[in-house]
């Protein structure tokens, strides 16, 4: 494994040892994750990566690890809260931390905070304060102990959500009574690509060339087929520790590309959990010395893109007769294809070509077990007459608040005219 | 190697009552921190009970060779995050054998101001935002920057994450926990606008303890960068060009400012500060003229102006303070290499004691 993570000679998980509150992780389990230093290659490669290495210059002993893993609970009731928000591009995550003096149970007990919006493209310099409203709490897998991560959204001092705040509108949709009654479930499959630092070429790919064609890499093992498993595995455990609803992970079709799934989550939780999982992932790649890319088509040519397939169901779909409800939902979605596509991620047109297990961006299609469609319905769902649908259109850089809210809105709140419905049913050969 | 590590981390409390006290003082440049350690017979929690000590002032530019002893007066105790157990760090200030503060001792004058009854009555609070830059060791080029070149322009780095945006987080995180352990009132950290630059905040602290805590935090930070093999810089403008400088914004309030009607007191205080702009600027750090240009979220060094939520002003008042009619204000002029004893006492003096 160490040699595949090409230049990195040393990186370690910063994790809680013996955190006081009951934790499923033991020190022994954690230390098995720690990459053993590749002693042979150390001299050469450490010269390039000394900037990231946590090693004292005369190489005697490393005291920083003790400080990073320090369990403060015997010395103070205070703990550290890392406030996390989405920046001006809509996909860049930002965070900063503060000390909290007494324990909290609920995000509403945490203080609102503010940051310099002029440094993130979200406010002008002469009126720069943007306010952070805490919305969800997770345990901090990097600091351990009682320390926490806090997912926030962003407002003007007057209390208006700023334009890049997509959570606010999603929360409104998810509190609509019709939506609440339908208990919408989401399972989101986040794909991502790992790139070597300094060259922005995928991890494990030869610099100046290409690996063998796709085929052997999907869910594979082996130094010539799986690049960066430590990142995926460390991320899985870190998310479970944090309280993120991560349900699985797998290696993807393109080498150096991975996927994890978060769900099933209800309503607004889906968005919060995906954003926190993305934060944890980029903190881990930061330590690993590897660049995280959520670009939907990182390499042109005969290489898969990266998506964020969104599995979705409502109470009606999960009950007997649900298959009819699913077909009606698909009908609604077909009538709003353009609206959805424009909100499903920047650069998606490079990915949705109709090849590489996608449907063309201009065509709406659906099918059972068909990976070349916009919407795929599983064989189990068809057989049992109830279940869920998979929207395969969203790109890996989609905003889950936008996508989940739009799915709920289009399938639960939107009422198309009868003529439009009939026309669409004909086009899709759907007897609804 | 493991034997050395075992010895450094040896827990002495089972074998002896003795503790190690690291005496820390500021050297001749006003910015270099020095320290040496001594054994004490048992745990101590009151600085007044610690023995005075002395050091060779001729080796720090603070005394002539033929009369070299400078006396250390212990002033504040913190837990030692490196030695742990009952061991301590001791912040000291420096005197001649005759008991006179030597010229580089800025704490003594500050302590006098903070014991003036008018100042004591106002309970002055300080929140200090210390910015600093991490440099690669042998080339003095910022950490994470390519040698012979520059990273992409500022934008993605403020509070950023990812290997291409955050350089040196381990240092910052280790420092945060070490300071909390030590008993320093560290209130937060964040990545700064220039890549390789970070900030931590100490406060709110009352009066003289603000300076003590900031110097202790600076000491702990440089001990950590020493271990990490990285150079710590408090230069206010480490890289010329379209790159932010490093400051030490000082947030300040008095009892009157925090109570009803405080906003009027704040405005009066800011007016007074405006009348003494030149005196404050002269005491706010060497090299500040390279940083206070009017660009990169600063006000020009020759101009005094204030505004609500305005990061391009000398003094910024938060929106919350304006809305509630009470609170605090932020003096954005001090450079990262300012002496907190000077800055905190000067703000108290100008706003509470000085009559224009």
């Amino acid at each position: 494994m160490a040699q595949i993570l090409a230049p990195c000679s040393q990186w370690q998980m910063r994790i809680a040892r013996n955190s006081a509150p009951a934790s499923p992780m033991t020190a022994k389990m954690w230390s098995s994750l720690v990459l053993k230093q590749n002693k042979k290659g150390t001299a050469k490669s450490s010269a390039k990566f000394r900037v990231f290495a946590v090693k004292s210059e005369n190489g005697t002993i490393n005291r920083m690890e003790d400080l990073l893993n320090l369990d403060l609970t015997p010395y103070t009731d205070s703990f550290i809260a890392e406030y996390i928000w989405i920046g001006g591009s809509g996909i860049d995550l930002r965070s900063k931390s503060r000390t909290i003096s007494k324990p909290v149970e609920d995000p509403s007990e945490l203080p609102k905070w503010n940051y310099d919006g002029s440094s993130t493209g979200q406010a002008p310099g002469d009126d720069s304060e943007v306010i952070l409203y805490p919305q969800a709490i997770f345990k901090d897998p990097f600091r351990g102990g009682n320390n926490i991560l806090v997912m926030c959204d962003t407002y003007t001092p007057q209390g208006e959500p700023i334009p890049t705040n997509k959570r606010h509108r999603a929360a409104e949709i998810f509190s609509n009574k019709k939506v609440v009654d339908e208990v919408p479930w989401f399972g989101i499959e986040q794909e991502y690509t790992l790139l070597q630092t300094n060259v922005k070429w995928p991890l494990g790919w030869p610099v100046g060339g290409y690996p063998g064609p796709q085929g052997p890499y999907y869910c594979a093992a082996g130094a010539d087929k799986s690049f960066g498993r430590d990142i995926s595995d460390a991320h899985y455990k870190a998310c479970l520790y944090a309280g993120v609803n991560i349900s699985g992970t797998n290696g993807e079709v393109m080498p150096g590309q991975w996927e994890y799934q978060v769900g099933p989550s209800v309503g607004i939780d889906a968005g919060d959990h995906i954003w926190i999982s993305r934060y944890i992932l980029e903190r881990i790649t930061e330590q690993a010395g590897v660049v995280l890319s959520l670009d939907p088509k990182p390499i042109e040519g005969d290489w898969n893109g990266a998506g964020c397939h969104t599995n979705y169901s409502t109470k009606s779909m999960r009950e007997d007769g649900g298959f009819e409800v699913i077909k009606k939902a698909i009908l609604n979605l077909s009538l709003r294809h353009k609206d959805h596509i424009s909100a499903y991620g920047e650069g998606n047109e490079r990915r949705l070509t109709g090849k590489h297990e996608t449907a063309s961006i201009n065509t709406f299609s659906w099918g059972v077990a068909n990976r070349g469609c916009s919407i795929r319905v599983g064989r189990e769902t068809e057989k049992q007459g109830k279940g869920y649908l998979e929207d395969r259109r969203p790109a890996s850089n989609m905003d889950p608040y936008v996508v989940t809210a739009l799915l709920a809105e289009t399938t639960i709140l939107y009422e198309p005219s009868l003529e439009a419905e009939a026309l669409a049913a004909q086009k899709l050969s759907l007897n609804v | 190697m493991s034997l050395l590590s075992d010895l450094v981390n040896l827990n002495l409390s089972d074998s002896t009552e003795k503790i190690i006290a690291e005496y820390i003082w500021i050297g001749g440049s006003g910015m270099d921190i020095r320290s040496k350690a001594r054994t004490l017979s048992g745990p101590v929690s009151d600085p007044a009970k610690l023995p005075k000590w002395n050091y060779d002032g001729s080796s720090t530019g603070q005394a002539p060779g033929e009369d070299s002893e400078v006396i250390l007066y212990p002033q504040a105790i913190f837990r030692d995050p490196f030695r742990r157990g009952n061991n301590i760090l001791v912040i000291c200030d420096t005197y001649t054998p005759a008991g006179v503060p030597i010229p580089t001792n800025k704490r003594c004058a500050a302590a006098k101001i903070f014991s003036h009854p008018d100042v004591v009555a106002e309970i002055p609070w300080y929140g200090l935002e210390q910015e600093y830059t991490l440099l690669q060791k042998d080339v003095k080029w910022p950490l994470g920057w390519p040698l012979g070149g520059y990273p992409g322009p500022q934008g993605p780095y403020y509070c950023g994450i990812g290997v291409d945006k955050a350089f040196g987080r381990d240092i910052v995180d280790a420092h945060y926990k070490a300071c909390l352990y030590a008993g320093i009132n560290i209130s937060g950290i964040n990545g700064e606008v220039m890549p390789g630059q970070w900030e931590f905040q100490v406060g709110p602290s009352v009066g003289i303890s603000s300076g003590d805590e900031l110097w202790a935090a600076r000491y702990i930070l440089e001990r950590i960068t020493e271990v990490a093999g990285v150079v710590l810089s408090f230069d206010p403008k480490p890289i010329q060009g379209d790159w932010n400088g490093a400051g030490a914004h000082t947030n300040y309030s008095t009892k009157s400012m925090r109570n009803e009607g405080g906003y009027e007191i704040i405005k009066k205080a800011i007016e007074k500060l405006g009348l003494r702009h030149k005196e404050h600027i002269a005491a706010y750090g060497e090299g500040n003229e390279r940083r206070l240009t009017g660009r990169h979220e600063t006000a020009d060094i020759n101009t005094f102006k204030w505004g609500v939520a305005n990061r391009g002003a000398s003094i910024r008042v938060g929106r919350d303070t304006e809305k509630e009619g009470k609170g605090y204000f932020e003096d954005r002029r001090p450079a990262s290499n300012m002496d907190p004893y000077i800055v905190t006492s000067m703000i108290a003096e100008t706003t509470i004691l000085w009559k224009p």
Side-chain angles (χ1 to χ4, degrees), chain A residues 14 54 56-57 61 66 68 70 94-95 97-99 116 119 125 127-129 143 157 282-283 286, chain B residues 5 84 137 155 158-159 162 165 169-170 173-174 176-177 186-189 193 227 297 309 311 316 319:
Chain A
R14 305 285 163 237
V54 173
S56 59
E57 256 315 289
I61 24 173
D66 288 343
L68 284 166
L70 197 48
R94 310 276 181 153
S95 75
S97 24
R98 68 184 292 178
T99 310
D116 174 9
S119 288
D127 186 10
S128 59
E129 278 174 30
R143 293 197 175 103
E282 189 149 36
R283 284 289 304 274
E286 177 187 307
Chain B
S5 173
R84 297 208 220 118
K137 192 171 90 97
Y158 171 72
C159 300
K165 290 166 288 234
R169 186 189 299 277
D170 280 351
D173 273 356
Y176 201 163
K177 282 194 173 179
I186 183 166
S187 41
I189 59 170
V193 176
V227 170
E297 302 175 274
R311 279 179 157 80
R316 166 176 157 265
R319 286 221 170 275

